[in-house]
Amino acid sequence: MYRIGIDVGGTNIAAGLVEDEFRIFSKKSIKTEEASSPTEMIEAISTLVKELMQGGSIDTADIEAIGVGVPGTAEPESGKVLYANNLGFEDVPFLNEIKEALGKELADKTYFDNDANAAAIGEYITGGYDAENFMMVTLGTGVGGGIIINGKVVRGCNYAAAEFGHMTINIDGCDCNCGRKGCFEDYASATALMEQAFEAMNGPGGRDSILWERAKTLDDLTGEIFFDAVRKRDALAQKVLETYVYYLSEGLTNLINILQPQVLVLSGGITRAADLFLDKVKENVSKSVYSRNSSRNTEITVARGIEDAGDVGIIGAALIDKM
Amino acid sequence: MYRIGIDVGGTNIAAGLVEDEFRIFSKKSIKTEEASSPTEMIEAISTLVKELMQGGSIDTADIEAIGVGVPGTAEPESGKVLYANNLGFEDVPFLNEIKEALGKELADKTYFDNDANAAAIGEYITGGYDAENFMMVTLGTGVGGGIIINGKVVRGCNYAAAEFGHMTINIDGCDCNCGRKGCFEDYASATALMEQAFEAMNGPGGRDSILWERAKTLDDLTGEIFFDAVRKRDALAQKVLETYVYYLSEGLTNLINILQPQVLVLSGGITRAADLFLDKVKENVSKSVYSRNSSRNTEITVARGIEDAGDVGIIGAALIDKM
């Protein structure tokens, strides 16, 4: 049996035919800007599905499930995308129209969900976690993620739960784009880390840093350059990372005090350099978490389920029906 | 059928025989200091249960369930109280020994849980909430509570989930007794409100306040005096409440952004004066919550399930087996 996952992103709509053992047999994608209206996007998704099936000589009976991950609030009951800021969608009967476009036989096995939930489902299943309660915290442009409790995704009353990034940790802190102050993502997203590094590069001693040798603008500064400098024991980069890890740890401690998942998985591109900071995060959290005297505390780890980060969205979407 | 709930507190061990419709038929209690060792406490609980049954002429067959709420971490699998700071318990095989003391017929229907979880279960069931995901936030000496997701209590990997009070909202803020800084309960507990009021009484204009007329020490200052001053439009008390409500709202917004429960219930003695602040809390949260454009946001309300606050612990404990 096969599954098909479609990851609707702001840049690409990527679809993949997923074999048993969560291997991607084939992939296809188009630019999101080429199918930006709901009608065009539904048409495009239907075409991608059909092309993948034809390419693999696969029949509708061989398909176990089709899942679509959407960057917005997906309401399973109505099949509507209530709101997707990056796509400009509001109240679009997305799932029902995809089902219609795919035809009756596939319609009954087609599902959708928010993309962060899909990613959490993908990591949970492919990573084989033995954890009733599970949380994935994704460090990217912002900080998002997913929560799984008793084997079910917690979608929330608006299908927008797990907005971890918008937990204030510094009520008198900097302005967040959400309108509040001092939100977790303003300190702990990958973007925030780059900003913190760039600020340090322009502060005392910044010009002596390896970072400045390799990047002169915030745009030029990448995670790779940053972590490379840390590996080379660049003092400025090390100091920036230490402060970043402090904030990250404090936010994670909050989340653990609230939900105490068995496992908290960090994901996002910067976790490729987790060897440089994961131990320190664990140490910080173990010192500040409320139940610090216990031997059964939350295990903090990095995503392990899907090797290629580009496949997380596809495989997660392909598994949506499982939760 | 009847249920028996036992609420083990720092001051009293209170037990009640609970009829259908969650009415308490009879109550008995003893001082905790009279039964402070695990052995004495187990003996006392067993005696209370037997006295309640005898008093009501009730047979073991008439008992549907017995529940014990403990102020600490209760591990259902082992029946152990892993840790209860106020009782000085560590790793006590509490439930198993209670079962033994009660005898075989009652043992199979005897349960225990953390007292905050028991209170949340009690409110959830007696309040008749139509909410898959539910959160109770208790404003007392600290800030605690319980989380119910898909009809089950979220106990957490250490049975100490829902430590809402120990979520930092001000990473550079005041020292918390948990070792961190700026925790939610340092701003939003009932104790914090009294401290904030007392500080204001000793600040500019404080001596002109009604509060100062009625209380000269922090010990003398009660919630009743405070809210009475607010009702009388005392400017200082109003200002203190406004700031308190701001912090409370920010912490609640964090919790909603993370879990998006259908219902968030506030409980604790000060919610008796909720008419003076609940609307403002709702207004603040609706302005700062992440999914603010949605029509289906979390409903914020105050506990309604059990009329007498003193009965919450007993009735909650009596219903532990339901979740």
Side-chain angles (χ1 to χ4, degrees):
Chain A
M1 293 294 274
Y2 294 83
R3 294 174 164 269
I4 291 175
I6 299 113
D7 182 26
V8 178
T11 313
N12 292 303
I13 303 172
L17 185 65
V18 181
E19 296 180 287
D20 292 342
E21 306 296 318
F22 320 121
R23 270 187 305 263
I24 291 188
F25 178 79
S26 58
K27 273 195 270 196
K28 283 201 168 276
S29 71
I30 66 159
K31 296 270 171 222
T32 309
E33 60 183 18
E34 288 168 23
S36 58
S37 76
T39 315
E40 289 168 326
M41 194 177 285
I42 286 154
E43 174 80 26
I45 288 172
S46 164
T47 305
L48 287 169
V49 168
K50 283 168 191 164
E51 286 176 1
L52 285 172
M53 288 174 65
Q54 278 160 16
S57 302
I58 283 168
D59 197 64
T60 53
D62 300 324
I63 298 290
E64 204 169 338
I66 297 173
V68 186
V70 190
T73 51
E75 184 179 57
E77 292 85 348
S78 67
K80 281 183 182 174
V81 171
L82 299 179
Y83 185 65
N85 184 38
N86 287 341
L87 305 176
F89 285 12
E90 230 181 293
D91 229 18
V92 172
F94 200 65
L95 181 62
N96 296 346
E97 296 195 5
I98 290 174
K99 287 183 174 199
E100 208 163 297
L102 290 175
K104 200 179 168 335
E105 275 174 89
L106 290 174
D108 291 345
K109 26 193 179 185
T110 301
Y111 304 84
F112 77 159
D113 203 342
N114 169 267
D115 55 357
N117 287 343
I121 293 169
E123 175 63 20
Y124 183 74
I125 293 178
T126 61
Y129 294 94
D130 178 24
E132 273 181 22
N133 298 353
F134 171 95
M135 186 183 267
M136 184 156 94
V137 179
T138 303
L139 312 170
T141 313
V143 173
I147 301 168
I148 292 169
I149 304 267
N150 291 322
K152 282 197 154 188
V153 173
V154 177
R155 295 190 167 87
C157 58
N158 278 316
Y159 312 97
E163 283 293 352
F164 305 133
H166 298 289
M167 157 178 73
T168 185
I169 59 169
N170 189 0
I171 205 164
D172 299 321
C174 57
D175 290 331
C176 182
N177 61 23
C178 80
R180 300 177 77 200
K181 281 180 189 294
C183 283
F184 185 35
E185 74 175 32
D186 304 323
Y187 300 90
S189 66
T191 310
L193 174 59
M194 293 303 103
E195 285 166 358
Q196 289 155 14
F198 191 67
E199 196 184 320
M201 285 158 61
N202 289 292
R207 295 295 189 262
D208 304 329
S209 159
I210 300 178
L211 293 174
W212 184 254
E213 278 173 32
R214 296 191 56 192
K216 298 287 184 289
T217 68
L218 183 54
D219 271 354
D220 288 343
L221 186 64
T222 62
E224 201 184 330
I225 292 175
F226 176 78
F227 285 110
D228 194 46
V230 175
R231 271 184 217 290
K232 289 180 174 140
R233 300 181 181 280
D234 179 79
L236 192 86
Q238 285 180 318
K239 192 151 177 286
V240 167
L241 183 60
E242 191 184 333
T243 306
Y244 170 83
V245 163
Y246 163 69
Y247 284 112
L248 174 61
S249 307
E250 285 294 304
L252 297 179
T253 301
N254 278 0
L255 296 175
I256 292 171
N257 282 347
I258 294 166
L259 274 169
Q260 285 213 330
Q262 271 87 21
V263 178
L264 186 156
V265 170
L266 295 175
S267 70
I270 68 169
T271 59
R272 280 195 293 269
D275 61 301
L276 294 172
F277 63 84
L278 184 62
D279 283 345
K280 187 66 187 169
V281 168
K282 289 181 185 180
E283 186 190 325
N284 289 352
V285 171
S286 75
K287 278 183 197 158
S288 50
V289 80
Y290 194 68
S291 59
R292 69 192 66 142
N293 291 320
S294 172
S295 56
R296 290 221 208 181
N297 272 324
T298 300
E299 182 195 344
I300 302 174
T301 180
V302 295
R304 68 185 180 206
I306 300 162
E307 211 155 301
D308 184 340
D311 293 345
V312 171
I314 291 173
I315 296 177
L319 295 167
I320 286 170
D321 66 303
K322 293 238 179 193
M323 304 215 151
Chain B
M1 294 293 275
Y2 293 82
R3 294 173 164 270
I4 291 175
I6 299 114
D7 182 25
V8 178
T11 313
N12 291 303
I13 303 172
L17 185 65
V18 181
E19 297 179 288
D20 292 343
E21 306 295 318
F22 321 122
R23 271 186 304 262
I24 292 188
F25 178 80
S26 57
K27 273 195 270 197
K28 283 200 168 276
S29 70
I30 66 159
K31 296 271 172 221
T32 308
E33 60 184 18
E34 288 169 23
S36 58
S37 77
T39 313
E40 290 167 325
M41 194 177 285
I42 286 153
E43 174 78 26
I45 288 172
S46 164
T47 306
L48 287 169
V49 167
K50 283 167 190 163
E51 287 176 1
L52 285 173
M53 287 175 64
Q54 279 160 15
S57 302
I58 284 169
D59 197 64
T60 53
D62 300 323
I63 297 290
E64 203 169 339
I66 297 174
V68 186
V70 189
T73 52
E75 184 179 58
E77 292 86 347
S78 68
K80 281 183 183 174
V81 171
L82 300 179
Y83 185 66
N85 185 39
N86 287 342
L87 305 177
F89 285 13
E90 229 181 294
D91 230 18
V92 173
F94 199 66
L95 182 62
N96 295 346
E97 296 194 4
I98 290 173
K99 287 182 175 200
E100 209 163 295
L102 289 176
K104 201 182 167 337
E105 275 175 90
L106 290 174
D108 291 345
K109 25 191 180 187
T110 301
Y111 304 84
F112 78 158
D113 203 342
N114 169 268
D115 56 357
N117 287 342
I121 293 169
E123 175 62 21
Y124 183 73
I125 293 177
T126 61
Y129 294 94
D130 178 25
E132 273 181 21
N133 299 353
F134 171 94
M135 186 182 267
M136 185 156 94
V137 180
T138 303
L139 311 170
T141 313
V143 174
I147 301 168
I148 292 169
I149 304 267
N150 292 321
K152 284 196 154 190
V153 173
V154 177
R155 295 189 167 87
C157 58
N158 277 315
Y159 313 98
E163 283 292 353
F164 305 134
H166 299 289
M167 157 178 74
T168 184
I169 59 170
N170 189 0
I171 205 164
D172 299 320
C174 57
D175 290 331
C176 182
N177 61 22
C178 79
R180 301 176 76 198
K181 280 180 190 295
C183 282
F184 185 35
E185 74 175 32
D186 304 322
Y187 299 91
S189 65
T191 310
L193 174 58
M194 292 304 104
E195 285 166 0
Q196 290 155 15
F198 191 67
E199 197 184 322
M201 284 158 62
N202 288 293
R207 296 295 189 260
D208 305 328
S209 159
I210 300 178
L211 294 174
W212 184 254
E213 279 173 33
R214 297 191 55 192
K216 298 286 184 289
T217 68
L218 183 53
D219 270 354
D220 288 343
L221 186 63
T222 61
E224 201 183 330
I225 292 176
F226 177 77
F227 285 110
D228 193 46
V230 175
R231 272 184 218 290
K232 289 179 174 143
R233 299 183 182 279
D234 179 80
L236 192 86
Q238 285 179 319
K239 193 152 178 284
V240 167
L241 183 60
E242 192 184 336
T243 305
Y244 171 82
V245 163
Y246 164 70
Y247 284 112
L248 173 61
S249 307
E250 285 293 306
L252 297 179
T253 301
N254 278 1
L255 296 176
I256 293 172
N257 283 347
I258 294 166
L259 274 170
Q260 286 213 329
Q262 272 86 22
V263 178
L264 187 155
V265 170
L266 295 174
S267 69
I270 68 169
T271 60
R272 280 196 292 269
D275 61 301
L276 294 173
F277 63 84
L278 184 62
D279 283 347
K280 187 65 187 169
V281 168
K282 288 182 185 180
E283 185 191 324
N284 289 352
V285 171
S286 75
K287 277 182 196 158
S288 50
V289 80
Y290 194 67
S291 59
R292 70 193 63 144
N293 292 319
S294 171
S295 55
R296 291 222 209 179
N297 273 324
T298 300
E299 182 196 344
I300 302 173
T301 180
V302 295
R304 68 185 181 206
I306 301 161
E307 211 156 301
D308 184 340
D311 293 345
V312 170
I314 291 173
I315 297 178
L319 295 166
I320 286 171
D321 66 303
K322 294 238 178 193
M323 303 211 153

